[in-house]
Amino acid sequence: MGATRFTTLLTASVVGTYLVLALGATTATAGEAAASGPLAWVAWGHYALAAAVWALVAATAVYARREDRATGVRAGLALATVGVPVQGLVGLAGRVGGFDAARWGVGVGRIHLFGGVAAFAVLLVVLVRHLDATVADPDATAEDTPTGASSRPSPVDATAPNGPADRLRAYLALTKPRLMWLLCLLALAGMALAAATGAAVDGVTVVATLAGGVLAVGAAGTFNHLFERERDRKMARTADRPVATATVPPRRAAAFGLALAAASLGLLWTVVTPLATLLTAGAIVYYAVVYTVLLKPTTRWNTAVGGGSGALPALIGWAAVTGGIGLPAVLLAGVVVLWTPAHFYNFAIAHRGEYARADYPMLPVVAGVRATRRRTCYWLGATLVAAVALGVVAEFGALYAVTTAGAGGVFLRSLVRQYDRGTDAAALRTFYASNAYLGLLLAAVVAEAVVV
């Protein structure tokens, strides 16, 4: 009971500190309007929340000492207990003019913001150290049988579809339609960011960009099915894919993928912008060749490096509207790059048995579940910090801050529960929580940029 209570307190401290950081960035963005006027409640809410979170951190530190937690955990909490009010006082002094850091070449606001990031980072490291110290090593103890580890996939008859409906379903499966909604939302967020800077957006551009994106995702997914067909046959999860079963012959799959790619690039070149077209071509090649062929079967860094393909729609959306690339879009793409390992490592944990049988060096296969969960926590922390940087540059408000903190807190809590429960089902729940985080974040970006 004591360990569970302490984990809850520590998790709440991490989430609370991040919420203070996100709201603090909003306050800084609002400038003078946050001190007086309609946004005054944001500033006062930030101050009140900071005081409450500091009390929570201090209480957690006292609890850690009383429970005689690990030295590193107690030291980290003591540092945060001192550091949180110090960086808060720096911010307050800067607002009332009592501290001049300009002579050092650094603005008070930056010191305050970096202090908040440091406090969040310290507490996240403390949380991970605590979980590593108190939760049994999943690589050395019995837990759920890894999905697909105990049985080989049943052979599937290589027969042609029975009719037009079956054929349509087979070709639709090649396009990986479940990936489309999130990638289209990312492209839409990129367009919304561009619109927030004053760029003109018309309905034709939006529809053509999203349609071209759907076709591009379909092309990349089809090539992925084509190139992975041999390994797909070794995994129960993928053994029934159309190319793996020869339901769609490889030559027809290749022709289908090329047709989708040509249609996508032709549409974007004709209706949108050349840069958006080139970026889309790069995204197809990145996912189908760089990730699928070069990275995934050869290195444990496949997910971390391959995440760039999923981030490109942010740049494509911005380029579709402006014809160029802007810093907000780059930061949004950066959020997705950092989010990808925090997202997909959970799926890899749940299916590590199948990946091992198919000879994929996914991180949980080569480094173990504990190391993968630890890195997932740190990738999540980096994602959350990058989301704050995006909010500052794009000058987002409280809606965005509360969304990234709330959804990020749910994501982190799910990851902590995964540590506690140690099951593949818990890993999959974290995977779905990560999807929800990014979806809500992108929806907040669109709302802040277009509506608010």
Side-chain angles (χ1 to χ4, degrees):
M1 175 65 79
T4 301
R5 184 179 294 113
F6 180 71
T7 301
T8 301
L9 281 172
L10 188 50
T11 303
S13 297
V14 175
V15 175
T17 302
Y18 180 70
L19 179 56
V20 171
L21 172 63
L23 283 177
T26 299
T27 302
T29 299
E32 294 300 324
S36 61
L39 292 179
W41 67 272
V42 176
W44 287 111
H46 169 62
Y47 302 146
L49 180 64
V53 168
W54 174 77
L56 176 62
V57 172
T60 306
V62 171
Y63 197 93
R65 176 170 289 279
R66 192 180 71 182
E67 294 287 314
D68 196 25
R69 296 291 169 183
T71 301
V73 171
R74 288 186 282 117
L77 282 168
L79 178 62
T81 302
V82 175
V84 168
V86 168
Q87 69 92 22
L89 289 174
V90 169
L92 182 60
R95 182 167 293 275
V96 300
F99 175 63
D100 180 16
R103 60 181 178 176
W104 301 100
V106 181
V108 173
R110 288 185 180 182
I111 294 176
H112 183 52
L113 184 61
F114 291 153
V117 172
F120 169 69
V122 167
L123 288 171
L124 181 63
V125 171
V126 168
L127 176 61
V128 174
R129 288 179 64 90
H130 163 68
L131 292 172
D132 275 346
T134 57
V135 176
D137 186 352
D139 302 305
T141 59
E143 66 167 357
D144 281 359
T145 301
T147 304
S150 61
S151 62
R152 304 188 77 70
S154 301
V156 181
D157 293 334
T159 57
N162 293 326
D166 293 329
R167 188 175 296 108
L168 178 62
R169 280 192 291 269
Y171 278 92
L172 180 62
L174 290 177
T175 65
K176 297 195 171 184
R178 285 183 292 183
L179 296 178
M180 292 178 179
W181 74 271
L182 199 56
L183 294 173
C184 285
L185 184 57
L186 178 57
L188 186 64
M191 288 186 278
L193 282 174
T197 65
V201 183
D202 60 87
V204 173
T205 298
V206 172
V207 172
T209 302
L210 295 181
V214 167
L215 292 169
V217 172
T222 299
F223 292 133
N224 176 267
H225 278 249
L226 178 64
F227 296 145
E228 291 189 338
R229 62 187 184 278
E230 296 297 333
R231 281 187 166 91
D232 280 347
R233 296 185 182 116
K234 299 178 181 180
M235 299 189 291
R237 181 177 59 86
T238 58
D240 62 347
R241 285 179 170 176
V243 184
T245 61
T247 301
V248 177
R251 291 181 62 180
R252 291 186 180 180
F256 180 61
L258 289 172
L260 289 176
S264 170
L265 300 179
L267 175 62
L268 293 172
W269 184 271
T270 303
V271 181
V272 190
T273 65
L275 181 57
T277 307
L278 293 175
L279 288 170
T280 301
I284 295 173
V285 173
Y286 199 151
Y287 182 75
V289 179
V290 176
Y291 172 69
T292 300
V293 178
L294 301 179
L295 294 175
K296 190 174 179 181
T298 61
T299 174
R300 70 173 67 186
W301 292 96
N302 48 25
T303 300
V305 179
S309 61
L312 282 173
L315 303 181
I316 293 168
W318 182 284
V321 174
T322 67
I325 295 177
L327 179 58
V330 172
L331 288 174
L332 178 58
V335 169
V336 177
V337 168
L338 297 171
W339 166 86
T340 300
H343 161 71
F344 192 77
Y345 281 163
N346 302 289
F347 189 85
I349 287 173
H351 294 282
R352 63 195 179 280
E354 290 190 288
Y355 283 125
R357 190 168 61 220
D359 298 321
Y360 281 123
M362 309 305 287
L363 188 62
V365 175
V366 299
V369 173
R370 167 169 285 188
T372 304
R373 286 179 180 149
R374 184 186 306 122
R375 293 193 189 182
T376 301
C377 286
Y378 292 144
W379 281 110
L380 173 56
T383 302
L384 295 176
V385 171
V388 169
L390 171 62
V392 170
V393 170
E395 299 184 354
F396 289 152
L399 172 64
Y400 176 83
V402 172
T403 299
T404 184
V410 172
F411 188 174
L412 179 62
R413 180 57 180 165
S414 177
L415 186 52
V416 171
R417 288 181 176 177
Q418 183 188 149
Y419 264 94
D420 180 55
R421 296 176 182 177
T423 65
D424 296 335
L428 284 177
R429 280 192 289 272
T430 308
F431 172 77
Y432 296 132
S434 68
N435 260 339
Y437 167 77
L438 187 61
L440 289 171
L441 181 77
L442 295 176
V445 168
V446 173
E448 286 275 8
V450 176
V451 180
V452 178

